[in-house]
Amino acid sequence: MLRFAPSPIGDMHIEELRVAIVNYLVAQQHNEPFLVRIDDTDKEHVIEGKDTEIMQILEKFALKHDSVFHQSEHLHMHQTLAIRLLEEGKAFVCTCNEEQTPYSGCCENADRSEHAKLKESGTPFVVRIKKPEHDIVIHDLIKGDIVTSPDEVDAFVILHADGTPTEVFASACDDMLSGITTVIEKEDHLKHASRELYIKTKLGYTEETDYAHLPTILNTGNESSLRCLFEQGFIPDAIINYLLLLGNTSAPEEIFTLPEAIAWFKLENISKSAIKFDIDKLRFINREHLKKMDDKLLSTLFGFADADVGKLAKLYMEDASTINELAARIHPVFAPKVLEGEWAEQMKSIQKHIKDAPMIERFDDFKSYLEKESGFKEENVLKPLRLLLTGAEQGPELNDIYPLIKPYLLEVVS
């Protein structure tokens, strides 16, 4: 069983998406269930609606899950397990500052009867798990064995003063209750792994858990949020391709889809070192996926359902890498033309002759017809004709464009 456990406290970034993708991919490889857990225990920072947004993003990337739940639904179970540790003498009540680290240990030997007294008196207290006596060893599939000393683990808080669980305690309990066998997380979650393993051990959980902490992606500013990438016109297949390629030495090809990656992806082949986010590389991969897209499907991105419009878009891919950049070239082709500027008179004349022209199959014959009817020489036809057909002074060869827009010709030159 694998899980993706996002917190609904902000926009999803590519590092979080990479965690979701890798969890889903490994689940597919091993034919194991993949669940989504919304970690919403930090009520102070939870943003309403972000949980729905997370699920919509997973759907957009076709990361199908077997089940989904909100961590807050398990509050009673978290509290019950914390009380069990308290009753077994593995945890203790503490009236010290919750943020105290390292912990002084002054409350650690308090009698369990103190719990009832503090509740009766109304004195605020937290519950801390006792400091481990031995090193905690995490077997990480990417980084190797990671040893954490008892002092680093410390006697940490598992229940806040308001009775809600800490992030690390809730996560450990839910992983145990859900039967999670592989935990794949961002590298900055590594500091929690030893504590989560310690909690599960103290609760008597003996099932083996594999860990994998994905290296940090550097240079991730606002442009690396999924919202920003979508707004720029990057497509899901390209983003997945890029994120699985980062620091991976086992990819047989540079351009691939998620289903294709299932055959060769291995956690062990991911680099241990941090990786830089490269927007130019992502642009290249995005362009390659757009080139591979079905022509008719591509046309739907611009409001059509016509394979020829998809072929037209691909003519512009030498200098366009995103949907937005393509749209900036395709939409002017079909937009009303402004007949002004240096070539205004020629455009008006050619426009009239196009509207009166019969259907002409070949571009060379079409050009010859316009030269004859307008009386203009070739050099005085091509520039205004390009402006009429494409709305731009430069672009792909008109000989290539004409067959693709021929059915729309009257609309194009209007």
Side-chain angles (χ1 to χ4, degrees), residues 136-151:
I136 306 295
V137 181
I138 293 289
H139 303 291
D140 193 285
L141 297 173
I142 297 174
K143 298 185 175 298
D145 285 356
I146 299 166
V147 180
T148 308
S149 70
D151 286 341

Side-chain angles (χ1 to χ4, degrees), residues 73 87 96 111 123 157 222 256 309 324 354 359 406 410-411:
E73 298 171 27
E87 291 174 345
C96 301
D111 190 272
T123 304
V157 177
N222 288 333
F256 53 83
V309 175
N324 290 17
I354 290 175
M359 179 58 71
K406 191 171 50 182
L410 294 181
E411 175 188 343

Side-chain angles (χ1 to χ4, degrees), residues 43 127 195 202 204 222 235 276 285 287 389 403:
K43 294 300 182 185
V127 176
R195 288 184 170 186
K202 285 299 178 183
N222 288 333
I235 61 174
K276 289 184 179 180
I285 291 173
R287 182 168 61 246
L389 295 184

Side-chain angles (χ1 to χ4, degrees), residues 62-80:
L63 303 179
K64 297 178 182 178
H65 57 279
D66 296 282
S67 61
V68 58
F69 68 91
H70 286 68
Q71 198 166 53
S72 55
E73 298 171 27
H74 290 178
L75 174 61
H76 178 68
M77 287 186 282
H78 301 149
Q79 292 172 329
T80 299

Side-chain angles (χ1 to χ4, degrees), residues 106-351:
C106 62
C107 298
E108 190 164 352
N109 296 316
D111 190 272
R112 274 174 285 172
S113 61
E114 287 298 311
H115 183 201
K117 292 178 183 177
L118 290 172
K119 287 180 69 174
E120 192 174 308
S121 67
T123 304
F125 66 90
V126 298
V127 176
R128 291 178 181 269
I129 194 167
K130 287 188 174 180
K131 179 178 173 179
E133 297 178 354
H134 306 287
D135 290 345
I136 306 295
V137 181
I138 293 289
H139 303 291
D140 193 285
L141 297 173
I142 297 174
K143 298 185 175 298
D145 285 356
I146 299 166
V147 180
T148 308
S149 70
D151 286 341
E152 291 175 280
V153 177
D154 206 5
F156 56 93
V157 177
I158 58 174
L159 276 191
H160 296 298
D162 63 359
T164 59
T166 57
E167 177 186 345
V168 67
F169 187 68
S171 180
C173 292
D174 284 333
D175 281 351
M176 181 182 73
L177 294 168
S178 299
I180 300 300
T181 54
T182 304
V183 175
I184 302 172
E185 281 282 12
K186 295 190 295 181
E187 188 170 26
D188 61 6
H189 282 249
L190 191 55
K191 60 181 180 288
H192 300 309
S194 56
R195 288 184 170 186
E196 290 180 6
L197 179 58
Y198 179 55
I199 290 166
K200 289 189 287 186
T201 301
K202 285 299 178 183
L203 287 170
Y205 189 69
T206 57
E207 295 297 318
E208 283 291 325
T209 304
D210 290 325
Y211 291 87
H213 289 86
L214 303 174
T216 301
I217 304 176
L218 303 174
N219 298 349
T220 53
N222 288 333
E223 68 175 4
S224 66
S225 77
L226 291 179
R227 181 189 296 274
C228 181
L229 293 178
F230 289 149
E231 287 174 351
Q232 292 180 68
F234 290 95
I235 61 174
D237 278 351
I239 297 172
I240 288 174
N241 186 158
Y242 177 70
L243 292 176
L244 289 179
L245 200 61
L246 277 179
N248 200 312
T249 60
S250 59
E253 296 179 330
E254 193 170 34
I255 306 301
F256 53 83
T257 63
L258 181 58
E260 290 169 344
I262 291 172
W264 54 261
F265 181 85
K266 290 184 179 180
L267 284 167
E268 296 87 342
N269 290 337
I270 295 178
S271 168
K272 298 179 182 180
S273 305
I275 314 148
K276 289 184 179 180
F277 176 69
D278 185 346
I279 191 69
D280 291 331
K281 183 67 172 180
L282 177 56
R283 286 173 59 82
F284 164 75
I285 291 173
N286 201 70
R287 182 168 61 246
E288 294 304 306
H289 277 276
L290 288 172
K291 286 179 181 178
K292 287 174 172 285
M293 190 178 290
D294 174 77
D295 293 331
K296 187 174 181 179
L297 179 60
L298 179 59
S299 78
T300 64
L301 302 178
F302 313 109
F304 293 86
D306 185 343
D308 280 348
V309 175
K311 291 183 175 72
L312 175 66
K314 290 181 179 180
L315 293 179
Y316 284 94
M317 285 188 188
E318 288 304 314
D319 60 348
S321 302
T322 67
I323 296 170
N324 290 17
E325 291 170 354
L326 286 176
R329 291 155 175 80
I330 298 302
H331 289 157
V333 173
F334 300 95
K337 302 303 185 293
V338 179
L339 308 182
E340 60 182 29
E342 179 185 356
W343 298 97
E345 291 306 314
Q346 291 92 331
M347 289 172 70
K348 290 174 184 177
S349 175
I350 291 171
Q351 182 188 60

